[in-house]
């Protein structure tokens, strides 16, 4: 099983320091959710897409969504469960 989560809207800030900090926080949550699982990863200036393989992929995507909830709301970022 392979499940995806895409985070959109990372290009909304003009403050490069804040953008780097935000991406770092997102990457930390991704590492936690994907521990020892086969993953796919794609990033652009405006999106990060993570794909998680395995029998518990949907559960891990849900864990990631919950871990990022407040951070994404604060920064007005959008989530979707499909690759771009």
């Amino acid at each position: 099983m392979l499940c995806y989560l895409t985070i959109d809207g990372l290009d909304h800030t003009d403050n490069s320091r804040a953008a780097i900090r935000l991406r770092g926080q997102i990457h930390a949550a991704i590492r936690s959710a994907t521990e020892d699982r086969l993953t796919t990863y794609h990033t652009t200036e405006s999106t990060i897409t993570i794909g998680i393989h395995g029998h518990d992929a949907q559960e891990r995507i849900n864990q990631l969504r919950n871990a990022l909830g407040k951070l994404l709301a604060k920064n007005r970022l959008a989530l979707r469960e499909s690759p771009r």
Side-chain angles (χ1 to χ4, degrees), residues 44-55:
T44 67
E45 286 187 30
S46 62
T47 66
I48 295 174
T49 299
I50 184 74
I52 302 175
H53 296 262
H55 67 281

Side-chain angles (χ1 to χ4, degrees), residues 6-17:
T6 298
I7 302 163
D8 286 314
L10 294 167
D11 58 348
H12 290 298
T13 182
D14 293 332
N15 182 339
S16 63
R17 185 175 290 169

